[in-house]
Amino acid sequence: QVQLVESGGGLVQPGGSLRLSCAASASRFSINVMGWYRQAPGKERELVATITSVGSTNYADSVKGRFTVSRDNAKNTWYLQMNSLKLEDTAVYYCKAHDLLYNYDYWGQGTQVTVSS
């Protein structure tokens, strides 16, 4: 079992920046995609960004050019750098790791990001 722990959320003004971290409790060779998702009040959870084990990235159109996903394999951690934050970025952000071998998704507990003036 792999546990994911997010950190780095908080309150920030529009135009500000935050960096989220997701630390995995163990390294699994079979985890091939790590991602960030978010869920705003009254809305469904949506994809924000993903990064594969070989470093390929994918972003939602709404965050392209503002958010950057990265990973540190040595620390079993991946990150979401969020710049130029907007009010509509307010949500609970979740990290996810997909285990290809078991076709299973591990989720973190979520971290609140609030963009407000």
Side-chain angles (χ1 to χ4, degrees):
Q1 188 75 4
V2 176
Q3 293 183 336
L4 306 180
V5 178
E6 299 108 334
S7 61
L11 174 64
V12 64
Q13 293 185 340
S17 298
L18 282 175
R19 189 176 83 153
L20 305 183
S21 299
C22 180
S25 61
S27 176
R28 286 272 181 91
F29 72 93
S30 52
I31 290 177
N32 67 325
V33 182
M34 291 74 71
W36 289 97
Y37 292 73
R38 67 186 181 187
Q39 188 167 18
K43 295 187 177 181
E44 296 199 354
R45 193 172 297 188
E46 63 177 1
L47 171 70
V48 176
T50 60
I51 184 166
T52 70
S53 56
V54 295
S56 298
T57 58
N58 181 53
Y59 296 93
D61 288 342
S62 59
V63 306
K64 281 181 181 177
R66 300 188 298 123
F67 291 11
T68 303
V69 60
S70 61
R71 55 185 289 177
D72 185 333
N73 291 336
K75 295 182 178 179
N76 293 329
T77 301
W78 56 103
Y79 306 94
L80 185 68
Q81 177 66 43
M82 305 185 293
N83 299 328
S84 303
L85 283 160
K86 303 177 181 180
L87 297 175
E88 53 264 40
D89 294 319
T90 295
V92 177
Y93 284 70
Y94 299 88
C95 62
K96 187 186 86 170
H98 179 70
D99 191 318
L100 181 64
L101 181 63
Y102 298 102
N103 191 28
Y104 184 81
D105 292 328
Y106 298 98
W107 288 92
Q109 82 286 356
T111 185
Q112 177 70 47
V113 171
T114 302
V115 184
S116 175
S117 56

